[in-house]
Amino acid sequence: MKVVVVKERAGESRVALTPDGVQKLKSAGADVSVQSGAGVAAGHTDAAYTAAGATIDHDSAAIYTNADVVLRVLAPDRDEMELLPRNVVLIGFLAPMTSPELLSQLAQRQVTALAVELIPRITRAQAMDALSSQATVVGYKAVLNAAAASGRFFPMLMTAAGTIPPAKVLVIGAGVAGLMSIATARRLGAVVQAFDIRAAAKEQVESLGANFVGFHVAEGEGQGGYAQEVSEETKRQEHEHLRKLVGDSDVVITTAQVPGRRAPVLVTRDMIEAMKPGSVIVDCAAEAGGNCELTEAGKDVIHNGVLIQGPINLPGTVPTHASFMYSRNVVALLTPLLKDGKVTIDLQDDVIGAACVTHNGEVRLGHRPAVAAAAK
Ligand code: NAD
């Protein structure tokens, strides 16, 4: 059974499988072929893969020959799609909710595609939860970027030149990324406040030493621990609540998301205009439309002296550890499927049934009610 690890497209520094993962898949009975150079940007040389037991392939097309499984971080582009063998199992971030064309192409090629974004948040699947592992990276790097861009120290300093108060950081959205932002900003010494609308967020925020300034919105509690879109009235209340909090903050990190929807706009132009010049906003939801009215994905915007960063692919900027975690997730997902020298896909399995978006020539996105509803 052949598992293939290909080089990601230009601009993506992560790799889907690290040498440590090669060893684990070999122990599970797979042969692993790695495209030459696939791991270099994440810190893994061809020699390290060879030492772990992989075969290095220099031909970006021939590597797909006889592949049973293709491991990727991001979805294949059009050219790579043409190379996928029929009936291969593809694993990666396939953005299934926003890529109908990709899914129909994969189905046409009889590919069995497992979209890691749809792995359910059940206890058994925690080790496979790539969305969480990469969100951890997002929350960490967003705070480092904010600290680097800010003209202020984060910690309180008492120096001979005078006392410097700690930076005031507001984190909006206290999910996986938000909690990591809180922890990182606290480690740097900032005073941290956090806002969310889910009841569970309060205890988690407080356990990290931050002040919870959110409020519980029952209608915002979705399935599986996620939030869902709220009414216009709730949005108005949130706006009133956030206006002062944002204006008083030196740094705002936004991470609020609703699966399958455009990210909610929570930081508006008037709030930004109430911030001090030199303040920094890092909008981690930029790729999903942004939590901030003035965000431009992939760009830095300066408005009235306030810097608004809309980073895309923050996990790709910490490629070594983002790949380490993603590789562990992929191995945890794939290993149980490797039985008797072949890959077994059981759509009745909770995890595989949820993550599988194409199989036997069909797109299977509507099989989960929550996903189907969110996709509307
Ligand atoms: P997410 O990325 O979908 O959203 C990030 C945060 O934005 C969430 O906390 C959400 O409540 C918040 N949000 C959405 N709309 C908002 C609004 N209008 N105003 C304010 N905040 C808003 O969420 P996530 O990071 O993937 O995690 C969601 C929850 O799932 C968290 O509690 C997390 O701990 C939990 N989780 C559980 C497991 C597991 O059990 N295996 C794994 C991962 C995450």
Side-chain angles (χ1 to χ4, degrees), residues 120-127 129 131-133 135 172-179 195-201 204 214-215 217 220-230 234-235 238 242 254-260 263-266 291:
R121 273 146 169 206
I122 56 176
T123 306
R124 179 167 69 86
Q126 277 187 359
D129 188 351
L131 213 48
S132 288
S133 73
I172 301 178
V176 178
L179 292 173
F195 176 88
D196 204 299
I197 52 169
R198 287 178 305 105
Q204 292 165 350
F215 53 84
V217 177
E221 299 268 0
Q223 288 181 346
Y226 289 107
Q228 61 185 17
E229 200 165 25
V230 297
T234 301
K235 284 182 193 162
E238 279 199 76
L242 280 170
T254 66
T255 72
Q257 302 251 20
V258 175
V265 176
L266 300 170
N291 291 142

Side-chain angles (χ1 to χ4, degrees), residues 145-158:
N145 286 356
S150 171
R152 312 177 74 90
F153 282 121
F154 269 33
M156 184 179 93
L157 292 180
M158 295 171 84

Side-chain angles (χ1 to χ4, degrees), residues 31-270:
D31 293 323
V32 182
S33 289
V34 177
Q35 187 180 343
S36 178
V40 170
H44 304 295
T45 58
D46 287 357
Y49 281 106
T50 306
T55 306
I56 300 298
D57 203 320
H58 292 268
D59 187 326
S60 60
I63 191 170
Y64 288 96
T65 307
N66 297 327
D68 297 293
V69 180
V70 172
L71 302 180
R72 301 194 51 98
V73 178
L74 301 180
D77 63 20
R78 196 174 283 274
D79 292 342
E80 291 158 340
M81 186 76 79
E82 299 296 315
L83 300 168
L84 289 173
R86 283 171 76 84
N87 297 321
V88 78
V89 174
L90 171 70
I91 298 178
F93 279 99
L94 305 178
M97 318 288 271
T98 50
S99 313
E101 199 184 324
L102 174 88
L103 295 192
S104 71
Q105 285 170 354
L106 289 170
Q108 272 168 28
R109 293 196 71 82
Q110 302 282 323
V111 171
T112 293
L114 303 182
V116 294
E117 298 93 326
L118 297 184
I119 291 171
R121 273 146 169 206
I122 56 176
T123 306
R124 179 167 69 86
Q126 277 187 359
M128 311 168 192
D129 188 351
L131 213 48
S132 288
S133 73
Q134 304 305 292
T136 301
V137 185
V138 169
Y140 166 80
K141 194 62 187 285
V143 170
L144 295 193
N145 286 356
S150 171
R152 312 177 74 90
F153 282 121
F154 269 33
M156 184 179 93
L157 292 180
M158 295 171 84
T159 76
T163 298
I164 295 168
K168 287 194 256 177
V169 174
L170 173 66
V171 176
I172 301 178
V176 178
L179 292 173
M180 188 61 184
S181 288
I182 293 167
T184 307
R186 289 270 301 144
R187 285 178 189 132
L188 287 177
V191 170
V192 184
Q193 307 195 96
F195 176 88
D196 204 299
I197 52 169
R198 287 178 305 105
K202 182 174 190 298
E203 193 185 332
Q204 292 165 350
V205 164
E206 289 174 348
S207 73
L208 292 171
N211 182 24
F212 185 69
V213 290
F215 53 84
H216 178 214
V217 177
E219 55 160 313
E221 299 268 0
Q223 288 181 346
Y226 289 107
Q228 61 185 17
E229 200 165 25
V230 297
S231 66
E232 287 304 315
E233 173 54 19
T234 301
K235 284 182 193 162
R236 193 193 59 73
Q237 287 174 12
E238 279 199 76
H239 182 267
E240 285 308 306
H241 190 75
L242 280 170
R243 187 199 297 269
K244 184 165 180 345
L245 292 168
V246 170
D248 283 347
S249 301
D250 301 310
V251 169
V252 177
I253 309 285
T254 66
T255 72
Q257 302 251 20
V258 175
R261 299 269 182 194
R262 189 208 182 283
V265 176
L266 300 170
V267 178
T268 50
R269 176 188 288 266
D270 60 312

